[in-house]
Amino acid sequence: MMNEPPDGGRMIVLTAPLTEAIDHAGYFIQMAMASLPIWMEGIINRKYPKWRDVEYNEDGSARYMPAGVRLVEKSLLREYRSDDIVACFPDDLPKFVGPRTRVVAVSTHNPLGVTFAAGVYTSIFGSSKMPINSHYSRQLFAQIKASPYRDNFKVIVGGSGGWQIIQTDTYEELSIDCVVEGRSESVETLELFRKAINGEELPRRVEVKHPLDREGILFPDTRTTFGVVEMTTGCGRRCKFCVPDLNPQIDLPKDKIMEAVRANVRNGNKQISLATEDMFIWGQVHTDTPFYFPNREALVDLYSDIVNTPGVEQHVLSHSTIAPAVVDPLLIKQLSDLLLPKSPIHFPYLSSHPEKKALAPLIGLETGSVRMAKQIMSSKGVPFSIEDWPSVVLEGLRVLNENNWFPAMTLIVGNPGETDDDVRDTIDLIYEIERRGLFAFLIPSIFTPLHDTRMEKEKGVTQTRQLTPLQWQLMMKCWKMNLRPGQYSWWGPMAWRVGSIGMWLYKLRGLNGPNFTWPLLMFSGALSEKTLQRMGKIYRGKPLKTKTRAELLASLKPKDWQYLRADNGDMPTAGYVPRVAEQAMTASP
Ligand code: B12
Ligand code: SF4
């Protein structure tokens, strides 16, 4: 930061790490950069040579920024003039940070890569602390630290990854004055900016309140990265490890959502994605119907208006739960008819759509062990009993796959108290997915106690070397199954065999310990699973006998039957005696 900006800089400068701000190539590139270590950046560069080419407004400010930055901007505009505030990409900080600057505010999703999924893959590959995204986040903080005006301004950090700074106590190292936990709309956040502008000392950490109703949430009126527009906050299923569920359950008003969609399009965005923990609660929050019976008409109406907005060429789903697919398969079908034509995702070997399009929301599977599920997420499958979790997963996935939804499903490995039996139960479910020809992109991650959750103080597995052979096997089996659609070429399987064994010899053997060896051989396909089982080196899941959709519906409490839609079929009838939850398994093949 050598040259002084001609106007003395802006009073408030907002930014985010480059890797979190780019609006290029869709969600996957950012997820990959959160998980791959920096030494693998070349792969991203080769696949997406233009990923660093960002777009600008005329004044040099960022054409797009993550939705979090946009809301901080919007929140501040309630009190400050627009020419006092700018949102810019990291490389452009020298254009805007000057003697006038009093606050540099950074929004970050995952600055140090210590969250679930992201941490585990970098640690498998050897450098647990430096995913690509983390490298760029640190670079941003280093740039701010080196500013010649650093003594004149305060650095405030917020966003869903702020807790990582608190937990690792990296304030000094990264030159951060204050981390805000919570939303920018809150009056406490504004108060903090006021203090910073007055040059007052800031507390290290501030927890601010979440708005309790729809009216308290602001919407972006400029372009957001990937066209992210909030749809809901909170969730309601109360999983113990979950952060977003700690927020109040709110579904945001359609007119505001649509305004933000139009604002994105006006500013050149062709893609929209509604941010939510569970898209299916929208339209059913605080109504007379429990939120876990989706409001089909409202959802179809909302998504229809979004994809039919002139200028919206692409739409991607974010998060959802799986039980709604069992509750209302027709809703899934109707949404597919609407959303598939605008989906940028293609699964040539899986999709039955004429253009091979697919939908891929992120859904939590977490565990196949009912014992574990009861402990950590007893309401994950409501309205169904958690006893039926494996059935809900399999039936939900069947409905989704039939409609060309191929979700990314997360699994948590190494939950506190997880036994070999629990892992075996999860492996059983994964094999059952394979046996039934179902497909989900399975993303196992090592349990990470997230700040403020009800599992914050609990400890599971902390390093890949601590994983048991079964836990490794579960991870590698998931990855092996993920590669199925990519293995239809003659060279695919061979490349994997040679590649994985080479990688093991070169780097991974020492890092991940001996428990990793046989599961890796299983993953590579160098030895068949049957052979490995005969050698006693792996466990091949046993077939599961689970409930059908009709049996699942019949197991609901009769008072809930009124919320089922008859046009889906399988309606329970009075006098039906549901089977006892059948966890019985037949013998191993
Ligand atoms: C859309 C989304 C994505 C998208 C796009 C992200 C982007 N760059 O825009 C994609 C798919 C790429 C993505 C990727 C990942 N994501 Co994500 N993502 C989301 C999601 C659904 C919405 C985020 C969002 O934009 N919300 C709307 C905005 C307005 O909310 P916000 O950013 O939190 O901002 C508010 C406050 O935090 C605050 N605020 C924000 N910034 C600042 C700054 C200051 C200074 C202040 C004062 C306040 C403040 O004010 C805002 C409201 O007014 C959330 C879940 C959720 N509902 O939040 C998960 C979520 C944030 N993601 C999560 C995770 C784990 C990831 C990945 C690590 C997953 C993976 N393994 O690949 C990666 C990391 C990506 C990276 N670059 O490192 C976790 C975060 C966990 C954590 N950090 O502790 C969440 C909470 C999902 C979950 N249920 O667990 N994600
Ligand atoms: S279903 Fe997902 S978002 Fe909802 S509480 Fe559980 S983990 Fe959180």
Side-chain angles (χ1 to χ4, degrees):
M1 291 197 191
M2 298 306 291
N3 303 325
E4 184 178 320
D7 59 355
R10 299 287 173 101
M11 188 167 77
I12 303 172
V13 180
L14 310 177
T15 189
L18 178 68
T19 39
E20 297 186 15
I22 52 163
D23 191 352
H24 182 77
Y27 274 178
F28 177 76
I29 185 172
Q30 283 204 14
M31 295 174 78
M33 290 201 287
S35 295
L36 294 177
I38 186 69
W39 64 268
M40 292 176 93
E41 191 185 7
I43 297 178
I44 301 283
N45 294 340
R46 272 190 297 281
K47 178 130 179 70
Y48 305 106
K50 295 196 166 156
W51 74 264
R52 288 189 189 79
D53 297 355
V54 288
E55 294 169 46
Y56 295 95
N57 295 320
E58 270 170 24
D59 63 355
S61 61
R63 173 57 77 81
Y64 38 78
M65 272 278 136
V69 177
R70 289 304 190 207
L71 288 206
V72 179
E73 197 176 11
K74 193 76 192 282
S75 304
L76 292 167
L77 283 170
R78 291 175 303 182
E79 186 145 333
Y80 302 98
R81 294 195 335 243
S82 62
D83 54 7
D84 283 333
I85 306 170
V86 71
C88 70
F89 294 116
D91 277 355
D92 303 310
L93 285 169
K95 287 186 204 146
F96 298 104
V97 176
R100 249 189 91 212
T101 304
R102 293 291 167 268
V103 188
V104 174
V106 181
S107 175
T108 177
H109 208 87
N110 184 27
L112 304 176
V114 289
T115 187
F116 42 83
V120 60
Y121 295 112
T122 40
S123 75
I124 290 174
F125 289 118
S127 162
S128 65
K129 292 212 166 55
M130 208 50 83
I132 300 172
N133 185 56
S134 177
H135 170 84
Y136 280 87
S137 306
R138 283 173 177 272
Q139 209 173 54
L140 164 62
F141 287 116
Q143 230 176 312
I144 298 171
K145 190 175 184 175
S147 165
Y149 311 104
R150 179 63 188 91
D151 290 343
N152 296 348
F153 61 79
K154 296 278 189 280
V155 178
I156 304 180
V157 173
S160 50
W163 64 271
Q164 297 178 0
I165 313 282
I166 300 170
Q167 255 186 23
T168 53
D169 195 11
T170 34
Y171 292 93
E172 293 298 327
E173 187 188 338
L174 303 179
S175 189
I176 294 166
D177 295 294
C178 173
V179 176
V180 178
E181 291 192 281
R183 295 191 65 103
S184 59
E185 288 97 332
S186 126
V187 285
E188 295 109 307
T189 309
L190 276 184
E191 181 53 32
L192 202 72
F193 275 81
R194 233 175 268 140
K195 276 189 174 168
I197 289 164
N198 291 337
E200 293 172 36
E201 277 310 299
L202 302 185
R204 277 270 153 120
R205 175 185 169 190
V206 181
E207 222 168 300
V208 303
K209 289 193 195 81
H210 193 290
L212 294 176
D213 53 32
R214 300 164 133 213
E215 284 64 45
I217 307 269
L218 293 174
F219 280 80
D221 47 21
T222 43
R223 180 169 160 186
T224 59
T225 295
F226 301 134
V228 169
V229 173
E230 272 181 297
M231 178 191 196
T232 62
T233 73
C235 166
R237 289 183 189 258
R238 315 297 293 137
C239 301
K240 276 196 187 163
F241 49 83
C242 179
V243 176
D245 184 61
L246 302 170
N247 295 328
Q249 192 190 42
I250 303 177
D251 59 348
L252 295 161
K254 181 179 164 193
D255 55 339
K256 299 264 184 63
I257 294 177
M258 293 309 300
E259 269 171 39
V261 168
R262 286 190 289 270
N264 261 286
V265 175
R266 246 192 340 268
N267 287 286
N269 216 340
K270 295 182 170 58
Q271 179 181 304
I272 295 297
S273 175
L274 297 188
T276 175
E277 301 318 320
D278 183 4
M279 58 187 270
F280 294 115
I281 68 172
W282 192 87
Q284 204 66 292
V285 174
H286 307 310
T287 65
D288 293 339
T289 304
F291 71 88
Y292 37 85
F293 290 99
N295 185 338
R296 187 195 294 171
E297 283 68 26
L299 283 163
V300 168
D301 175 63
L302 174 69
Y303 280 105
S304 164
D305 281 6
I306 287 172
V307 292
N308 290 318
T309 299
V312 174
E313 291 176 13
Q314 296 187 337
H315 170 270
V316 284
L317 294 174
S318 76
H319 297 60
S320 85
T321 51
I322 199 157
V326 184
V327 171
D328 192 356
L330 255 177
L331 165 64
I332 304 297
K333 172 160 188 337
Q334 291 181 10
L335 287 176
S336 307
D337 294 345
L338 273 175
L339 301 179
L340 277 172
K342 295 261 161 112
S343 175
I345 302 166
H346 293 83
F347 283 160
Y349 299 106
L350 295 168
S351 172
S352 60
H353 184 266
E355 292 165 53
K356 302 296 171 197
K357 290 190 172 233
L359 297 165
L362 196 76
I363 299 182
L365 188 163
E366 321 306 6
T367 178
S369 154
V370 169
R371 188 193 81 88
M372 201 78 252
K374 273 187 195 161
Q375 279 180 27
I376 62 171
M377 48 182 217
S378 58
S379 307
K380 184 89 160 177
V382 285
F384 307 104
S385 158
I386 198 68
E387 295 281 349
D388 288 326
W389 180 237
S391 308
V392 173
V393 170
L394 291 164
E395 276 305 287
L397 199 52
R398 176 183 65 73
V399 171
L400 293 178
N401 282 185
E402 280 170 9
N403 290 287
N404 290 318
W405 295 44
F406 301 99
M409 298 192 82
T410 48
L411 288 97
I412 308 176
V413 179
N415 272 304
E418 185 174 75
T419 63
D420 274 358
D421 281 343
D422 295 317
V423 185
R424 262 186 223 103
D425 287 349
T426 307
I427 293 177
D428 288 343
L429 181 57
I430 299 307
Y431 272 88
E432 193 61 36
I433 289 176
E434 182 176 53
R435 211 170 281 117
R436 295 187 190 192
L438 300 172
F439 186 85
F441 190 73
L442 300 165
I443 310 177
S445 60
I446 297 179
F447 170 75
T448 311
L450 293 185
H451 181 61
D452 275 349
T453 64
R454 282 160 286 163
M455 290 178 85
E456 179 183 18
K457 301 254 158 15
E458 299 199 34
K459 211 167 166 207
V461 168
T462 51
Q463 283 177 12
T464 52
R465 282 188 79 88
Q466 294 169 356
L467 290 171
T468 65
L470 277 171
Q471 286 170 330
W472 266 123
Q473 196 205 315
L474 172 58
M475 306 240 309
M476 301 315 276
K477 179 67 186 171
C478 288
W479 279 101
K480 189 175 179 191
M481 282 171 58
N482 293 343
L483 294 168
R484 281 179 298 168
Q487 296 214 352
Y488 288 93
S489 56
W490 63 268
W491 51 267
M494 180 62 74
W496 277 106
R497 256 167 239 171
V498 175
S500 345
I501 294 172
M503 193 74 159
W504 176 75
L505 286 171
Y506 169 64
K507 196 156 182 132
L508 307 179
R509 184 172 44 164
L511 278 169
N512 296 317
N515 290 344
F516 177 60
T517 304
W518 295 107
L520 184 74
L521 279 177
M522 184 251 336
F523 167 78
S524 72
L527 288 176
S528 78
E529 291 188 13
K530 262 194 185 150
T531 309
L532 286 167
Q533 187 188 31
R534 261 201 309 273
M535 292 164 71
K537 300 298 181 194
I538 64 162
Y539 167 73
R540 285 176 80 214
K542 54 185 182 302
L544 289 184
K545 186 137 190 330
T546 54
K547 285 185 178 168
T548 61
R549 176 169 185 270
E551 288 166 334
L552 281 170
L553 295 190
S555 71
L556 296 179
K557 294 184 191 87
K559 74 171 174 46
D560 279 345
W561 292 359
Q562 59 178 310
Y563 305 118
L564 297 172
R565 311 281 298 242
D567 50 7
N568 281 310
D570 295 331
M571 286 296 277
T573 45
Y576 182 92
V577 183
R579 279 195 307 170
V580 179
E582 221 171 326
Q583 299 302 318
M585 331 271 173
T586 55
S588 189

